Amino acid sequence: MQTRGPLSGVVVLDLSRVLAGPWATQVLADLGAEVIKVERPGAGDDTRGWGPPFTRTQDGGRGDAAYFMCANRNKRSLTVDMAKPEGANLLRRLAERADVVVENFKTGGLKKYGLDYASLAAINPRLVYCSITGFGQTGPLKDRAGYDYMIQAMGGLMSVTGQPDGAPGAEPMKVGVAVADLFTGLYASNAILAALLHARATGQGQHVDLALFEVQAAMLANQATNYFVSGKAPGRMGNAHPNLAPYQPFATADGAVVVAVGNDGQFRSLCVALGAPELAADARFTTNALRVENRSELVGALAPLFAPRTTDEWIAALEEAGVPCGPINTIDRVFEEAQGQARGLVVSQDRADLSDPVRTVASPIRLSETPVAYDRAPPALGQDTEEVLAGLGLSAAEIAGLKASGVV
């Protein structure tokens, strides 16, 4: 059990799998909670098989998929078949002692096992029970499964992502990572922490209802309020910004540089750095609103000025001028950035059955008094089953019997 971190002493029973739920529980685990990840005997979380790439075992065999590793560090793995009455009973006993349960089964899917909120709240009234589904616990789509890709589509994100109609390669595009799942995990961890504060103050737990569809709608942020104010649904703009200009990449002699001008002063500095101070005084470009209105003319005037110099040369010049900018890094270069190395962006952890250390991206949460700790590598399937069950008071013989009958 972890002993460091602000959530030390909080016990989380994690019945979730794939990404949204495990992302939420990894946040809690990084902050010191004891997270018991419940998995199917012999199979485990689906993402253990979502590869390639796969890790390698000490004997050269195939280990777990890299996908699994991204969301499951600092957890213990317990294998239990909840479809067997004995398995469901074990999970109820664990829930009775837990502070939090997280699950992402279909709405109502755990009721037949006596693992739904009502059943567990009856034996543990202080329990914070978080359900993550595609569409929530109510409404006409509550029984429908939800997956990140379809939620990005249904929730409007794909309609504003990709090249505009008429441009080469124009079509709605999904984001390169499962952002609906990831944001849902972050919203879930926030909601759980709020509910935990309430439970600590009152002794009363509650049901937290998170829907991927609603999270994706919330993520639309300014695009949604742009629609509310204008009455016009935003469309795809490629790499341009609907409310700012210039706020996009420009081609350089050897690649591209992203320029993110957020105010009129930065635009004037950009023009000076580009050797074209007269553009800042052009009546079409003096304010952000005018630059957005005259975006095509603005980009047409700026683009040729970037072409003669390299990306690194422009970044040096623009940083000196105080203009926000950056390269378009490939993922390998992200971790070569001096800033990332100085901040410890990569976590390396050993796991006994694997030939190489497991590397994951460090938590971005930096706490001065109770820092994030990395005590456990993403676990091998069922590696902590005996330890967890012994903690419930089961004898070695009882655990062996449960293994023999396929319960664990």
Side-chain angles (χ1 to χ4, degrees), residues 266-347:
Q266 289 175 354
F267 179 66
R268 290 191 292 270
S269 297
L270 171 66
C271 294
V272 171
L274 289 170
E278 69 279 3
L279 287 177
D282 190 307
R284 299 169 297 174
F285 310 142
T286 53
T287 68
N288 179 70
L290 288 169
R291 291 194 296 275
V292 171
E293 183 178 342
N294 298 291
R295 186 191 305 273
S296 295
E297 295 90 337
L298 175 68
V299 173
L302 294 178
L305 302 177
F306 283 93
R309 300 172 69 179
T310 68
T311 297
D312 287 344
E313 288 172 336
W314 277 122
I315 289 174
L318 295 179
E319 285 184 346
E320 184 177 357
V323 178
C325 63
I328 302 175
N329 279 337
T330 53
I331 289 178
D332 55 326
R333 291 193 64 182
V334 172
F335 301 105
E336 294 170 0
E337 285 277 1
Q339 178 66 20
Q341 293 180 359
R343 296 275 287 178
L345 198 56
V346 178
V347 173

Side-chain angles (χ1 to χ4, degrees), residues 323-387:
V323 178
C325 63
I328 302 175
N329 279 337
T330 53
I331 289 178
D332 55 326
R333 291 193 64 182
V334 172
F335 301 105
E336 294 170 0
E337 285 277 1
Q339 178 66 20
Q341 293 180 359
R343 296 275 287 178
L345 198 56
V346 178
V347 173
S348 182
Q349 297 172 297
D350 292 322
R351 201 175 89 182
D353 63 316
L354 299 180
S355 59
D356 298 306
V358 177
R359 294 197 301 163
T360 55
V361 182
S363 170
I365 298 173
R366 305 297 174 116
L367 299 172
S368 63
E369 300 302 323
T370 53
V372 168
Y374 304 101
D375 296 330
R376 294 174 178 268
L381 179 61
Q383 72 173 34
D384 305 294
T385 297
E386 293 184 15
E387 178 187 357

Side-chain angles (χ1 to χ4, degrees), residues 43 78 105 107 179 202 240 299-300 302 339 395:
L78 164 70
F105 287 75
T107 300
V179 289
T202 67
V299 173
L302 294 178
Q339 178 66 20
S395 67

Side-chain angles (χ1 to χ4, degrees), residues 10-252:
V10 172
V11 177
V12 179
L13 185 62
D14 184 5
L15 305 181
S16 69
R17 64 269 192 225
V18 185
L19 188 55
W23 197 256
T25 55
Q26 180 169 266
V27 171
L28 301 177
D30 283 350
L31 292 172
E34 178 188 357
V35 176
I36 301 170
K37 182 178 180 66
V38 178
E39 303 188 71
R40 294 170 296 168
D45 190 310
D46 295 345
T47 60
R48 287 187 184 271
W50 281 17
F54 291 96
T55 57
R56 286 290 167 191
T57 59
Q58 293 282 5
D59 60 4
R62 195 183 88 175
D64 292 317
Y67 196 118
F68 173 83
M69 300 300 182
C70 82
N72 289 290
R73 69 173 169 237
N74 280 336
K75 303 178 185 179
R76 295 196 287 172
S77 174
L78 164 70
T79 51
V80 174
D81 184 353
M82 68 176 64
K84 296 181 182 294
E86 302 93 334
N89 184 57
L90 287 174
L91 296 180
R92 283 192 294 272
R93 290 174 62 184
L94 286 167
E96 188 174 6
R97 302 182 178 194
D99 299 286
V100 179
V101 167
V102 179
E103 60 93 6
N104 61 351
F105 287 75
K106 287 185 179 181
T107 300
L110 291 177
K111 186 174 183 179
K112 61 186 174 182
Y113 306 121
L115 296 172
D116 57 306
Y117 172 65
S119 298
L120 296 185
I123 60 174
N124 183 358
R126 62 180 175 78
L127 184 68
V128 173
Y129 187 107
C130 179
S131 296
I132 298 174
T133 57
F135 297 95
Q137 300 296 302
T138 59
L141 298 183
K142 67 180 178 64
D143 296 322
R144 187 172 176 182
Y147 295 89
D148 180 274
Y149 194 174
M150 61 177 278
I151 295 297
Q152 287 194 38
M154 291 184 68
L157 184 59
M158 289 180 63
S159 76
V160 294
T161 306
Q163 293 298 322
D165 289 335
E171 65 173 320
M173 296 290 291
K174 70 177 181 67
V175 179
V177 293
V179 289
D181 277 341
L182 296 172
F183 269 76
T184 300
L186 291 174
Y187 270 104
S189 60
N190 274 272
I192 288 166
L193 292 175
L196 273 174
L197 283 174
H198 175 78
R200 292 287 171 90
T202 67
Q204 180 64 52
Q206 59 187 298
H207 193 186
V208 179
D209 176 8
L210 262 293
L212 270 69
F213 178 70
E214 293 166 23
V215 169
Q216 178 57 79
M219 284 171 55
L220 293 175
N222 62 298
Q223 294 282 34
T225 52
N226 286 349
Y227 162 67
F228 295 148
V229 170
S230 70
K232 181 180 178 181
R236 304 189 308 279
M237 298 182 63
N239 285 317
H241 193 289
N243 303 110
L244 294 170
Y247 204 92
Q248 64 183 76
F250 289 93
T252 66

